[in-house]
Amino acid sequence: MAKKKMSKKKFRIVWSSVLSVLLVIVVAANVALAQFSDVISSYFSKIDLESAEAVKAREKSEILVEKIADEGIVLLQNNESALPIKTSQDNKTKVNVFGWSFTAPIYGGTGSGASDASKAVSPKAGLEAAGFEINEELYKAYEDTGIKRPIVGMDGQDWSIPEPKPSDFYTDKLMKQAKDFSDTAIIFLARSGGEGADLPRSMDGPDTFDPEGGPFGPTGQKFGNEDDLDANKHYLELSNREQGMIDAVTKNFDNVILVVNSANSFELGWVEKYDQIKSILNVAGPGQNGFKSLGKVLSGEVNPSGRTVDLYTKDLLDSPAMANFGDFDYVVKNEDGSYSQAADSSKVLLKYVDYTEGIYVGYRFYETAAALGAINYDEKVQYPFGYGLSYTSFEQEVVADSLKWNDKEATVDVKVTNNGSVEGKEVVQLYYSAPYTGKIEKSSVDLVAFEKTDIIKPGESETVTLKFKVEDMASFDANKEYSKTGSYVLEAGEYKLMLMNNSHEKIADVGSKNLSEVVYDSGRSTDKQAAVNQFDDEVTGEGSISTYLSRANGFENLTEINKNEAFTVKTADGKTKEVKGKLVDSKFVKQISSIRYDVPADTHDSAPTTGADNGKKLKDYTGVDFNDKSWNELLDQLTVDELVKLSTLGGYRTVEIKSVGKPATLDYDGPAAINNMNMAANGQSGTAFPSEIMIASTWNTELAEAMGEHIGAEAKAYGVTGWYAPAMNVHRTPFAGRNFEYYSEDGILSGKIAAAVTKGFQSHGGYVYIKHFALNDQETNRTVGVLTWSNEQAIREVYLKPFEIAVKEGGAQAVMSSFNSIGNKWAGSDDGLLKEVLRKEWGFTGHVITDFYMNGGGINAYPYMNVELAVRNGNDLMLTGAAPMGVPEVNTKSNDTLWALRDSAHNILYTTANSSAIEGNLSTDTPQWIIITVIVDILLVLGIATAFVFVFRKSKNRDQEIETLHSA
């Protein structure tokens, strides 16, 4: 039976509708591609690792990696001079290495600090290269267990501590074979860490880990093997299985060496129970070939000269900071009497963390408490800050009459003599003690200067000079005892200088001096503007801390500083859970919401000039002073669209601006290597350098500067200008997930190392982004803008100190702000931090970028990251384009916002003009995926157009074709 024929009119309606829908789909697809072009370009991005320049740069880097590891391994114990172990390639010494992690060690960290360690030298290869013969049967037994390295990633963490079950693995047969092979045992323990989560303080939690996870990797958390789940144990102490392994080894061997492969301080008080454990080495993430250094240190080819960058307590949960570290909620009381977690107007949970310990972080607490008789130091502390042993013995003595101490500067010469039998390097540490009046908190000792010697041969000496500014001993008077605005103050009284082996062991008194009171209300010599209280609005008021730790009466208020309570709260899904927190009211919630989201009304009556034709080019502004008025002529040329794009499209690059001849730049991760591992389909990495802890453990600023130089050379070879590093937040506790990419608990050590790395990298024409500015000292709740409460003294003396040194001494040209809030204000929109302190006080003239920006284009994962408030308050660039977070929407009708975007453009253009990028051409190369898309678009449009012509052309033949098409 013949089908009913379709009328010509209906045919045209149907097919025109189909073609129109297809056309809309094509247009929509292209709009989406344009919207996410940065994402797609990043996904397909590649680093040219094979150029002759790149290969040569990496070859040099690998040599330096080994030198850093040579000096960054720390010898913590060496009873009976058990190390070194004599060996050679001709007469190899046999050793047993126990611990599964020896087969899969930790080379670095995860997240932005990750690097490609697929070709790294394993610890086994490192020991073999040094002349050791490894028990292959034991090694293979570990491999045959099938255990895999647990994933500790940004979006999920498997905290399982890989180790076979002792009762099944350490059989009499296995132990007999090991004893027959060698009478020396090495125990290898490892701990991981990374971006996204802090380390567990309880190894007992819900097993929610999904190794496949979502689009960004694994999700959830896992806390260990069934027999290791223990609420009373934390991640940085021995697991139950490790305890069983150590018992088995020490039962069978009297000569045991312990190697701890961890960037986070590991709890080692238990070692005192085992006389069999003679020596302990700490090896933080050693990078690409740093495990070769482990073999050399064990054999004595290298004399260890590393020093601790944190104080090691026997109980890592003991420090005052631990009481206020982790997950804390603000809680509101409901009308029915129940409690709920407080959330702002965008439904972001209000989380907080209290820095109640004030300035007493790490050694500053323990040394002061011991000096006041408040604690028994030996019962609490395993290893001081700045501690490390050598295979030789050094004598340090102050050169007679070398101390020169005037009102501005102090210098002293120290003679270091090698009294031992092997050559080596020594670290010289100078500390000061300031008078405590009760008005400003002071620790009993503070590091003020340090130097590392060259190699000193036995019987020979080297004299080093230590110097510092007298104003470096000033404290910040946040409580305004000496001035109406807050200021740095050198209180009157006796100041003492001590030459010390570490933070606890004094070698000699260098000198003392009674100083008159000095209030630096006009600024210190290094300040461009006097430092005054800038954070009063952020860190005072409701929700803030009322009591900070004080040394008064021997830390009498230590037990009072933890004010967190336990609540049972209703969650959004109607369930209940237990939280720690504080009770707040709706007024507090509204205040936070207003600070986070309310954009002030305009103060400018007119918009800036845009789109002018002044004929200026950015290349003509290289070396032109930042404040030169001629910059206005260049800035006037920028269009509104260019202003917006320059500020909002800042993910891993700055965009090209043709109107002023600004080339695009590539800005890449990360602290351990130039890499695109977190944004590209097939992530790549340059040379994997050791973790920041190992670099700091060298206490060698020359090596740090060399590291910067070598990474800078690689960056130049890869066409990368900006580097998201170095990172320098403070090790407030051992449990922070990113401690591996931060230097130390001490601001002076961190700052000096960071400044050296900065100078080295920027010597090749690139620029660093020092990060994360500031107080990003834990991973927990960072991406919800955790309200971080501290006082201005601690903020400046502890947490801002490394950044200050990196800017003033290192000349850092870019900064990355942090996710967290300082008090009640997101750090990325804090004008006190980004304008007053960074620019006006420190003299910074570069540009500031946010951390990973996810608030735009309808995607509001981090809604508190407000682009309007960011640019108005000194944050120039949004880190977008590296994931599908959309593009920030900017109100271009606001005059104040346009003026702020112009300021941001000035900062970004100034950095670019004074970088090597200005020497290149405009980035006119079109990505291959765009070329393919254009070709496909052309074919689709031609096809759709042809179809429209066919449908609507008037032709008898065409009408006959329609009838034929619809006939039976």
Side-chain angles (χ1 to χ4, degrees):
M1 182 177 180
K3 293 182 180 178
K4 185 178 180 180
K5 296 180 180 179
M6 182 184 293
S7 68
K8 297 175 184 178
K9 182 178 181 181
K10 186 175 182 180
F11 177 85
R12 286 172 176 154
I13 291 173
V14 170
W15 278 98
S16 64
S17 298
V18 171
L19 293 170
S20 296
V21 169
L22 183 59
L23 184 60
V24 169
I25 292 172
V26 172
V27 171
N30 276 274
V31 170
L33 289 172
Q35 178 81 351
F36 295 106
S37 61
D38 297 317
V39 181
I40 300 167
S41 294
S42 295
Y43 185 75
F44 289 114
S45 67
K46 287 187 177 181
I47 298 173
D48 183 3
L49 298 173
E50 304 306 323
S51 71
E53 184 182 6
V55 171
K56 184 177 180 180
R58 287 201 306 279
E59 287 174 351
K60 292 182 178 180
S61 290
E62 289 178 14
I63 295 172
L64 182 63
V65 167
E66 198 170 332
K67 289 182 179 179
I68 292 171
D70 283 350
E71 295 192 29
I73 292 174
V74 184
L75 179 62
L76 296 172
Q77 177 176 299
N78 197 25
N79 296 343
E80 302 174 22
S81 298
L83 290 178
I85 303 170
K86 292 184 179 180
T87 189
S88 68
Q89 292 294 344
D90 295 330
N91 188 19
K92 295 184 177 183
T93 297
K94 295 181 178 181
V95 293
N96 299 291
V97 185
F98 292 90
W100 176 88
S101 289
F102 186 64
T103 68
I106 303 300
Y107 296 96
T110 66
S112 67
S115 54
D116 182 10
S118 60
K119 298 179 180 179
V121 174
S122 69
K124 180 174 183 288
L127 266 63
E128 289 174 335
F132 291 100
E133 182 179 343
I134 306 300
N135 185 341
E136 293 286 353
E137 189 171 327
L138 176 60
Y139 188 86
K140 187 175 185 301
Y142 282 114
E143 287 187 317
D144 289 345
T145 61
I147 297 173
K148 303 295 183 184
R149 168 59 62 189
I151 299 172
V152 177
M154 288 179 64
D155 296 285
Q157 302 82 33
D158 183 348
W159 297 113
S160 302
I161 298 170
E163 185 66 36
K165 194 171 184 178
S167 58
D168 296 337
F169 187 83
Y170 298 104
T171 62
D172 291 342
K173 180 180 178 182
L174 181 140
M175 298 308 291
K176 182 180 185 305
Q177 187 277 331
K179 287 191 290 184
D180 289 344
F181 182 82
S182 171
D183 61 0
T184 299
I186 297 173
I187 294 175
F188 194 97
L189 303 177
R191 289 296 186 272
S192 184
E195 182 176 4
D198 294 318
L199 310 186
R201 283 163 290 155
S202 173
M203 292 302 291
D204 185 13
D207 186 357
T208 61
F209 190 74
D210 177 6
E212 299 298 326
F216 301 108
T219 57
Q221 290 196 335
K222 184 177 179 181
F223 289 87
N225 305 300
E226 184 176 346
D227 52 347
D228 269 338
L229 295 179
D230 192 335
N232 296 316
K233 285 198 170 186
H234 56 71
Y235 184 68
L236 293 174
E237 64 181 313
L238 291 178
S239 71
N240 294 334
R241 290 190 175 191
E242 286 174 332
Q243 183 69 67
M245 179 263 288
I246 287 169
D247 287 341
V249 172
T250 54
K251 181 180 178 180
N252 287 276
F253 293 88
D254 292 325
N255 186 24
V256 180
I257 312 299
L258 174 63
V259 176
V260 180
N261 174 210
S262 173
N264 298 71
S265 302
F266 193 76
E267 193 167 288
L268 291 168
W270 55 270
V271 173
E272 296 177 355
K273 301 177 182 178
Y274 296 93
D275 292 336
Q276 301 92 331
I277 298 178
K278 309 298 184 184
S279 304
I280 306 173
L281 290 166
N282 177 248
V283 185
Q288 192 150 317
N289 54 342
F291 275 121
K292 290 178 68 175
S293 299
L294 174 61
K296 291 189 291 182
V297 168
L298 289 170
S299 69
E301 181 182 346
V302 166
N303 187 353
S305 61
R307 299 291 183 268
T308 57
V309 296
D310 303 308
L311 177 141
Y312 280 59
T313 55
K314 294 180 180 180
D315 177 359
L316 294 184
L317 302 178
D318 179 66
S319 73
M322 287 306 307
N324 289 280
F325 174 84
D327 185 18
F328 302 99
D329 286 86
Y330 284 116
V331 174
V332 293
K333 193 171 186 178
N334 304 315
E335 291 183 0
D336 63 1
S338 64
Y339 296 98
S340 297
Q341 291 169 287
D344 68 21
S345 56
S346 291
K347 299 182 179 180
V348 178
L349 293 178
L350 295 179
K351 303 279 192 172
Y352 72 91
V353 59
D354 289 342
Y355 286 21
T356 53
E357 70 281 358
I359 67 165
Y360 297 106
V361 178
Y363 77 87
R364 285 179 170 84
F365 169 73
Y366 285 96
E367 301 301 343
T368 308
L372 297 174
I375 63 168
N376 182 314
Y377 192 87
D378 292 335
E379 289 180 359
K380 294 283 189 179
V381 178
Q382 187 88 15
Y383 306 113
F385 167 80
Y387 176 86
L389 302 178
S390 171
Y391 294 153
T392 192
S393 58
F394 290 101
E395 180 185 4
Q396 297 184 29
E397 55 183 330
V398 178
V399 176
D401 301 323
S402 68
L403 176 62
K404 309 298 181 185
W405 187 348
N406 56 38
D407 292 341
K408 303 296 182 182
E409 188 177 67
T411 65
V412 64
D413 294 334
V414 176
K415 182 181 179 182
V416 183
T417 303
N418 185 345
N419 291 328
S421 58
V422 296
E423 66 181 24
K425 293 188 174 186
E426 174 72 320
V427 176
V428 183
Q429 303 173 46
L430 185 67
Y431 292 77
Y432 74 92
S433 178
Y436 178 67
T437 66
K439 293 182 178 181
I440 305 176
E441 290 302 321
K442 305 267 181 64
S443 51
S444 61
V445 294
D446 285 272
L447 179 70
V448 71
F450 64 91
E451 290 289 340
K452 192 165 194 177
T453 69
D454 290 328
I455 292 177
I456 304 175
K457 294 181 178 180
E460 296 187 359
S461 302
E462 178 184 336
T463 298
V464 300
T465 299
L466 299 169
K467 62 181 179 179
F468 65 94
K469 292 181 174 62
V470 172
E471 65 191 25
D472 292 342
M473 297 189 292
S475 300
F476 194 80
D477 176 27
N479 294 327
K480 305 174 186 177
E481 297 282 353
Y482 293 90
S483 68
K484 295 180 180 180
T485 59
S487 176
Y488 279 98
V489 176
L490 201 65
E491 289 189 286
E494 185 183 19
Y495 288 76
K496 300 176 182 178
L497 299 181
M498 297 88 68
L499 180 66
M500 302 183 72
N501 271 324
N502 48 64
S503 64
H504 191 65
E505 298 174 304
K506 183 168 67 175
I507 298 173
D509 289 315
V510 175
S512 65
K513 197 170 187 179
N514 283 301
L515 301 181
S516 300
E517 176 186 302
V518 180
V519 180
Y520 295 97
D521 49 6
S522 296
R524 297 164 296 169
S525 65
T526 59
D527 294 329
K528 302 297 182 182
Q529 170 182 289
V532 300
N533 279 22
Q534 295 293 352
F535 304 104
D536 281 351
D537 290 341
E538 288 92 326
V539 299
T540 59
E542 187 173 2
S544 63
I545 307 170
S546 59
T547 303
Y548 287 91
L549 184 60
S550 171
R551 64 181 282 184
N553 300 317
F555 290 108
E556 185 178 44
N557 72 340
L558 180 59
T559 58
E560 301 175 14
I561 62 173
N562 185 1
K563 301 296 183 183
N564 304 300
E565 300 178 45
F567 294 91
T568 300
V569 299
K570 285 184 178 180
T571 58
D573 57 6
K575 297 179 180 179
T576 60
K577 69 175 182 178
E578 298 291 325
V579 301
K580 283 186 176 181
K582 295 179 182 178
L583 192 63
V584 294
D585 57 22
S586 58
K587 179 182 177 182
F588 173 76
V589 174
K590 289 179 181 178
Q591 179 192 41
I592 298 298
S593 298
S594 176
I595 291 169
R596 284 184 166 181
Y597 304 116
D598 292 352
V599 179
D602 276 5
T603 59
H604 286 87
D605 295 329
S606 60
T609 300
T610 54
D613 185 12
N614 295 330
K616 301 294 183 180
K617 294 297 180 183
L618 184 60
K619 65 181 180 180
D620 299 325
Y621 284 80
T622 300
V624 174
D625 187 81
F626 180 84
N627 295 311
D628 193 294
K629 292 182 179 179
S630 66
W631 278 99
N632 290 321
E633 297 178 67
L634 183 78
L635 296 171
D636 286 349
Q637 293 179 200
L638 299 173
T639 66
V640 170
D641 184 58
E642 287 174 331
L643 287 172
V644 172
K645 286 183 177 179
L646 185 57
S647 188
T648 60
L649 299 179
Y652 298 91
R653 55 96 177 259
T654 65
V655 297
E656 175 185 335
I657 302 295
K658 291 185 179 179
S659 67
V660 296
K662 179 201 173 294
T665 66
L666 288 177
D667 300 344
Y668 275 12
D669 274 329
I674 298 293
N675 76 71
N676 62 1
M677 296 182 68
N678 291 312
M679 64 182 186
N682 299 302
Q684 299 164 286
S685 169
T687 303
F689 274 80
S691 65
E692 270 59 27
I693 282 192
M694 178 165 276
I695 298 160
S697 295
T698 69
W699 287 63
N700 189 331
T701 56
E702 291 183 3
L703 277 181
E705 187 167 352
M707 174 188 165
E709 289 174 355
H710 284 66
I711 293 183
E714 285 194 46
K716 192 170 184 179
Y718 305 146
V720 173
T721 310
W723 181 37
Y724 291 167
M728 60 196 74
N729 292 98
V730 169
H731 297 168
R732 181 172 172 251
T733 79
F735 291 87
R738 292 180 92 166
N739 275 5
F740 75 94
E741 66 173 295
Y742 302 147
Y743 294 113
S744 170
E745 68 183 30
D746 181 76
I748 296 293
L749 176 61
S750 298
K752 296 291 185 180
I753 297 293
V757 172
T758 296
K759 285 191 290 187
F761 184 87
Q762 293 184 169
S763 69
H764 286 278
Y767 48 83
V768 302
Y769 287 88
I770 57 176
K771 63 179 188 179
H772 303 87
F773 196 56
L775 279 72
N776 187 164
D777 309 297
Q778 68 173 44
E779 292 299 280
T780 303
N781 298 323
R782 66 179 181 136
T783 56
V784 295
V786 56
L787 306 181
T788 308
W789 302 101
S790 185
N791 62 38
E792 187 140 356
Q793 183 190 2
I795 289 174
R796 287 182 177 271
E797 292 184 19
V798 179
Y799 301 100
L800 296 189
K801 182 60 69 177
F803 295 96
E804 180 179 6
I805 296 172
V807 169
K808 290 181 175 180
E809 298 181 15
Q813 294 173 344
V815 171
M816 179 183 288
S817 61
S818 51
F819 283 124
N820 61 288
S821 299
I822 297 181
N824 55 26
K825 187 179 291 185
W826 171 40
S829 65
D830 192 322
D831 60 332
L833 179 71
L834 303 179
K835 286 187 174 182
E836 297 297 328
V837 173
L838 179 62
R839 295 189 184 280
K840 294 180 182 179
E841 290 184 17
W842 298 351
F844 175 76
T845 53
H847 66 272
V848 179
I849 192 172
T850 67
D851 206 330
F852 203 66
Y853 190 97
M854 290 186 70
N855 182 20
I859 295 178
N860 300 303
Y862 309 155
Y864 68 92
M865 298 183 81
N866 188 315
V867 65
E868 299 274 340
L869 294 176
V871 295
R872 287 179 178 220
N873 290 291
N875 211 321
D876 309 302
L877 200 59
M878 310 300 120
L879 206 170
T880 57
M885 76 288 286
V887 179
E889 298 172 357
V890 179
N891 178 17
T892 55
K893 295 181 180 180
S894 165
N895 291 333
D896 277 26
T897 297
L898 289 175
W899 280 105
L901 289 171
R902 180 185 171 96
D903 288 340
S904 294
H906 186 186
N907 298 331
I908 298 166
L909 293 176
Y910 179 81
T911 306
T912 307
N914 292 285
S915 74
S916 57
I918 199 66
E919 301 168 1
N921 298 316
L922 291 184
S923 308
T924 54
D925 293 340
T926 304
Q928 188 176 16
W929 75 268
I930 292 181
I931 296 173
I932 295 171
T933 300
V934 170
I935 294 171
V936 172
D937 283 345
I938 292 172
L939 293 175
L940 286 172
V941 170
L942 287 174
I944 293 171
T946 301
F948 267 112
V949 170
F950 172 77
V951 170
F952 288 100
R953 70 186 175 90
K954 293 182 179 181
S955 166
K956 289 183 179 180
N957 291 338
R958 198 258 327 166
D959 292 341
Q960 181 63 43
E961 289 168 359
I962 293 174
E963 291 179 3
T964 302
L965 184 64
H966 294 286
S967 63

